[in-house]
Amino acid sequence: MAPYEIRIIGDPVLRQPAVDVTDIDGRLVALAEDMVETMYAAPGVGLAAPQVGVQKRLFVYDLGDGLGPRTMVNPRLLEARGEFSWDEGCLSVPGLSWEILRPDEVHVVGLDLDGNEVSIEASGYEGRVFQHELDHLDGVLLVERLDPDQAREARRLVRDLMLARDASPEPAPRRGLTLR
Ligand code: ZN
């Protein structure tokens, strides 16, 4: 069983901006490892700390490029260029996806789990993953990136999703609540 239950839209933790990581220590490394395990179990290609109830600026990802799971700590978007449309989904909005237009090429900087500076220029799918996870750290969900027609449809679908969840019995225990 995955270490964390992924928080679902409607959970206020997903709407709060996360704070910078101040110490890259064993505890943070353990958090990243648990996030990776949770991401693979979902399965997903990226997971941001607020999605497991932790208000810290880091995300994990694995693009399936053979490089394995990686972690970005305190990531910042330096530059974004072009346009790229992609059918985008989110583990916190399960079962739904929308064609969303965002910049194509991005330049993201941050730190890895050894505290080394990382600078990545990405485009297409990879650039999309970074932008999506960066949004999570600012308390932004993909439903806020929709055009007016999509947003109307999304309100209905998300309401149904939340009602279905409320109607389901006994949620799984949430380990994330004990973390800061
Ligand atoms: Zn997401």
Side-chain angles (χ1 to χ4, degrees), residues 38-56:
T38 304
M39 173 182 77
Y40 284 148
V45 295
L47 189 69
Q51 292 181 279
V52 296
V54 178
Q55 293 303 109
K56 289 183 176 173

Side-chain angles (χ1 to χ4, degrees), residues 157-169:
L157 293 171
V158 167
R159 195 179 56 231
D160 291 348
L161 178 75
M162 288 165 70
L163 285 172
R165 269 188 80 80
D166 288 346
S168 69

Side-chain angles (χ1 to χ4, degrees), residues 14-144:
L14 293 170
R15 300 296 193 165
Q16 293 160 15
V19 297
D20 271 337
V21 171
T22 50
D23 291 305
I24 300 180
D25 53 13
R27 199 167 162 217
L28 192 83
V29 172
L31 166 65
E33 285 169 358
D34 283 349
M35 284 170 59
V36 166
E37 208 181 312
T38 304
M39 173 182 77
Y40 284 148
V45 295
L47 189 69
Q51 292 181 279
V52 296
V54 178
Q55 293 303 109
K56 289 183 176 173
R57 297 189 77 86
L58 78 150
F59 63 78
V60 298
Y61 64 101
D62 184 339
L63 300 166
D65 51 10
L67 296 175
R70 279 164 288 172
T71 303
M72 273 287 241
V73 179
N74 296 343
R76 283 186 303 129
L77 183 68
L78 287 191
E79 221 185 328
R81 279 193 307 269
E83 280 186 342
F84 175 60
S85 186
W86 179 263
D87 185 37
E88 190 173 327
C90 177
L91 294 175
S92 293
V93 191
L96 302 177
S97 69
W98 293 272
E99 198 70 32
I100 297 175
L101 191 68
R102 294 190 193 243
D104 180 12
E105 299 167 51
V106 293
H107 184 189
V108 180
V109 294
L111 300 171
D112 67 17
L113 286 177
D114 295 316
N116 298 315
E117 282 184 32
V118 180
S119 172
I120 301 178
E121 299 201 34
S123 62
Y125 175 59
E126 184 180 8
R128 178 59 59 108
V129 171
F130 289 144
Q131 292 175 73
H132 181 103
E133 302 309 331
L134 280 160
D135 267 359
H136 275 302
L137 303 184
D138 293 327
V140 173
L141 292 175
L142 82 172
V143 291
E144 287 162 63

